[in-house]
Amino acid sequence: QSALTQPPSASGSPGQSVTISCTGTSSDVGAYNYVSWYQQHPGKAPKLMIYEVTKRPSGVPDRFSGSKSGNTASLTVSGLQAEDDADYYCSSYAGSNNLGVFGGGTKLTVL
Amino acid sequence: EVQLLESGGGLVQPGGSLRLSCAASGFTFSGSAMSWVRQAPGKGLEWVSTISYGGASTYYADSVKGRFTISRDNSKNTLYLQMNSLRAEDTAVYYCTSGGSGYYPNWGQGTLVTVSS
């Protein structure tokens, strides 16, 4: 049950856009359109931001968007705001014997 | 409003046991798969276990298979995680979540489990 690969850090200035990648394999990210993204502020529980690759739960700003190409999924945050400064984790369905795998997380810094 | 409230964490010696509980409200608990996800101090998220809505199917990460047991009581809207043969590497905040298969829409606040002598 290998973790998905994310860059450890990303950064951008307020108003800019930043994209975080999440690389898996043909057994998880590449096989299913069940990639989710979670935002976590220090000391808080994670919050679902994107599910099924591109869908946003109610209440999540449309500045957050998701996409996928092959074995790599991406989260794009447009119009960066100070409150976007947080850790971001991707997750994917990985088949019936391994229901969930997470990425190692990316620390997004708003400069 | 969906609420997931974990309890049962604490300090336990290596080889010991602990049972976590998660009281759910604000949604149809009996219609939802449920999961446990953990986070070791300063580390990332790790999926631990998932149980189907009726409880008939259970799934475990390799790291806990044979030691942890997930269960649920739909009459009490409560999810459980029985943890046996605990190791130092099981030290983490354990989150109760709704959903599974990589999709976790709702999270509890977490309960800290510390395995140490």
Side-chain angles (χ1 to χ4, degrees):
Chain A
Q1 294 164 339
S2 301
L4 306 176
T5 299
Q6 298 181 233
S9 63
S11 63
S13 299
Q16 290 186 332
S17 294
V18 64
T19 297
I20 299 170
S21 63
C22 170
T23 301
T25 70
S26 57
S27 297
D28 39 60
V29 174
Y32 308 98
N33 287 325
Y34 292 122
V35 176
S36 301
W37 289 90
Y38 302 86
Q39 177 192 65
Q40 186 180 35
H41 288 107
K44 300 295 186 181
K47 174 187 176 184
L48 177 68
M49 304 301 284
I50 296 287
Y51 67 101
E52 293 179 10
V53 179
T54 62
K55 298 179 180 178
R56 273 189 315 277
S58 175
V60 172
D62 60 6
R63 303 185 293 103
F64 291 85
S65 62
S67 63
K68 191 185 87 167
S69 177
N71 296 337
T72 298
S74 298
L75 172 72
T76 298
V77 186
S78 305
L80 275 172
Q81 298 184 5
E83 58 263 36
D84 301 333
D85 193 301
D87 293 328
Y88 291 84
Y89 295 89
C90 62
S91 178
S92 175
Y93 178 59
S96 59
N97 290 323
N98 176 18
L99 292 203
V101 60
F102 283 96
T106 297
K107 168 60 180 172
L108 173 60
T109 300
V110 180
L111 302 170
Chain B
E1 178 191 6
V2 173
Q3 288 197 337
L4 297 170
L5 185 60
E6 303 97 334
S7 61
L11 175 63
V12 60
Q13 293 188 337
S17 297
L18 213 55
R19 188 175 87 151
L20 306 183
S21 299
C22 171
S25 61
F27 67 106
T28 305
F29 179 78
S30 60
S32 178
M34 297 292 294
S35 300
W36 291 96
V37 175
R38 69 184 180 184
Q39 186 170 35
K43 302 297 185 181
L45 301 173
E46 179 189 14
W47 169 71
V48 173
S49 183
T50 296
I51 188 168
S52 62
Y53 65 93
S57 299
T58 57
Y59 308 86
Y60 300 93
D62 288 345
S63 57
V64 306
K65 199 171 296 183
R67 300 187 298 122
F68 289 12
T69 301
I70 191 171
S71 62
R72 64 191 299 159
D73 185 337
N74 286 345
S75 68
K76 296 181 178 179
N77 284 1
T78 303
L79 175 72
Y80 303 100
L81 185 67
Q82 177 66 44
M83 304 185 294
N84 299 331
S85 302
L86 283 162
R87 307 166 179 167
E89 53 265 36
D90 295 319
T91 295
V93 173
Y94 285 73
Y95 293 102
C96 166
T97 79
S98 60
S101 302
Y103 172 63
Y104 312 101
N106 300 293
W107 296 66
Q109 85 290 346
T111 187
L112 176 62
V113 172
T114 303
V115 184
S116 175
S117 55

